[in-house]
Amino acid sequence: METVKNEAVKAALQRWTIASARPSGKASISELCLPLGELPLVGNIDEVDFSITVDGSDTEVDTTRDHPTVKVGYLRVAGSVVRLDVFRQLSRVKHIDPREVRKSHSEYAFDVALPGSQLTRPGMSGVETWRTELEDFLHNSRFDSSTEMTLADGLLALHGTRGNAATSINLRVCPACGQKANAKFTLAAGKEGGSCPSCHARLYLADILRTHEEYNVEGSNFTPLGRVMTVAERLMSICYLNFFADTAPEVLQHTLFITDGPLALFGPLAPLKRRFEEHLGDLSTWCLKRDLVAPLVVGIEKSGAFVEHAELIKDLIPPGHVMRLTNAYINKISGRPENNHYGVDEFYGRRFIYRTRTGDPLVITVLPAAGLSPYDGGSPEVEGWEAYPTLRLICEILDSLRTRMYQHAVVPIALAHSAAALPLGVGRSVLTMMAQQNIPGLKPDLQAVQPPTYFKG
């Protein structure tokens, strides 16, 4: 009550305004919008017959009540393939047969457990254990059951050129001794790893992800676990794109590739953004030389500040219109300085808000044309409509895939999320019990296995 009565507290609250609040007038929104039909069209919606969506789920559990800081991280990443031609046919019938829906959809997922705090391999520290387990994960996780290509192969492909994967990747800093690479001191790791010339410690391909920099020896490692999930999703998409380019290039123009979340990388992963930008730009150029539509790649956000803002202003965007988010507009609604260069270091696609023909807003991220960076400080070229040739076709496809399963949902994302989701309630307790039964030195502790709330009186 003393805090509530405090005048200084009241005065502080009254001084603030919400940066992302709904604009007072419609003009600031209207000037950024364009009808979908006025955008340049590349490709044909009737020729896009498949969607491949990648989604992930992660959770971290405490192992026992006696050791609450001993934690285990679980990660599941799924790829979901949907036959869009079947869904187009189903949209024209009055009663949908669930068996037909099931036939139009297939999925593949991989799972991994990663060590949290106080879990080590014999003779290793916690961070060394994290690096080693992450390396094994990259080498053992295939992006699809029908191929031998792993996420490690995808990481090497990302650092190479079209059809010519890198054999090794340069590191900036040795994870063991902290020595920084320079012109005379090179640090590199290939598929079999590498060695630091200074301390002779082993280097891993996984070290390029730099998630070990955020590893916490005494508490939660949910943050680096989330980084691993993000990069695994993105590498899975890269594997699909390269696989089709190598084996059946024509499939690329018949497939929409969807990522759950924005086409961006944050934190220690951010330097990889440039590699994604260059690699996908090279692939786009390669496709254009073969008279193929550039890869249809889109990120769709289900939550976050931009989704919240889109919901606030949706009635100011006419149905079937796309809103471009300029650097100035983003800085204004996010409370950033006017001269801030948003997204330069993290995004390899650019955000748009598309209000579907049914009236729902979708926050999407779309690749720019080859040779362009989606955010470069707000130049007219990258903020113009012409810089995103696949935008119209992607929006038209998404229009036909809306679902009311949850807010801002499209069918491929909903199905991929279902395949990737780790369970809550009883399922989380099962994961806790699994850790207790398999980690030497831990005793089963039923009190640490919490029943779901609907079982509690």
Side-chain angles (χ1 to χ4, degrees), residues 88-106:
R88 293 192 190 104
Q89 294 173 10
L90 293 175
S91 66
R92 294 189 286 268
V93 302
K94 185 175 182 180
H95 301 291
I96 297 177
D97 186 343
R99 292 171 296 183
E100 294 300 318
V101 176
R102 179 67 257 180
K103 290 178 184 177
S104 70
H105 171 235
S106 60

Side-chain angles (χ1 to χ4, degrees), residues 67-82:
H67 301 281
T69 57
V70 178
K71 302 176 185 294
V72 175
Y74 294 96
L75 175 67
R76 182 174 177 82
V77 177
S80 172
V81 180
V82 177

Side-chain angles (χ1 to χ4, degrees), residues 154-203:
L155 190 57
L156 288 168
L158 180 68
H159 285 78
T161 56
R162 168 82 283 281
N164 187 22
T167 56
S168 65
I169 302 174
N170 290 331
L171 306 178
R172 296 183 178 185
V173 181
C174 172
C177 68
Q179 180 75 24
K180 294 183 178 180
N182 54 49
K184 298 180 180 180
F185 182 78
T186 303
L187 294 165
K191 201 165 185 179
E192 303 304 320
S195 178
C196 173
S198 177
C199 68
H200 306 293
R202 185 174 181 187
L203 302 177

Side-chain angles (χ1 to χ4, degrees), residues 235-299:
L235 288 178
M236 195 173 186
S237 295
I238 288 293
C239 287
Y240 273 115
L241 286 163
N242 279 278
F243 175 76
F244 289 131
D246 292 339
T247 60
E250 66 279 0
V251 173
L252 291 174
Q253 71 176 359
H254 296 292
T255 307
L256 175 67
F257 297 88
I258 304 176
T259 295
D260 182 26
L263 301 181
L265 295 160
F266 302 96
L269 298 176
L272 285 177
K273 164 262 181 181
R274 193 166 302 280
R275 288 305 316 146
F276 275 87
E277 191 176 281
E278 293 175 358
H279 187 80
L280 292 169
D282 287 346
L283 180 58
S284 179
T285 300
W286 184 85
C287 286
L288 291 175
K289 289 180 178 178
R290 287 156 179 78
D291 294 325
L292 300 173
V293 175
L296 300 173
V297 180
V298 62

Side-chain angles (χ1 to χ4, degrees), residues 353-371:
I353 298 176
Y354 174 54
R355 190 176 183 200
T356 64
R357 301 188 191 283
T358 57
D360 302 317
L362 291 177
V363 177
I364 61 176
T365 319
V366 177
L367 298 178

Side-chain angles (χ1 to χ4, degrees), residues 39-88:
L39 290 175
L41 177 62
V42 176
N44 187 333
I45 186 174
D46 293 328
E47 294 180 355
V48 183
D49 300 320
F50 302 93
S51 72
I52 295 180
T53 307
V54 179
D55 193 10
S57 180
D58 56 348
T59 188
E60 186 179 57
V61 299
D62 303 339
T63 53
T64 67
R65 296 186 66 182
D66 291 337
H67 301 281
T69 57
V70 178
K71 302 176 185 294
V72 175
Y74 294 96
L75 175 67
R76 182 174 177 82
V77 177
S80 172
V81 180
V82 177
R83 288 184 53 192
L84 302 184
D85 55 338
V86 174
F87 271 89
R88 293 192 190 104

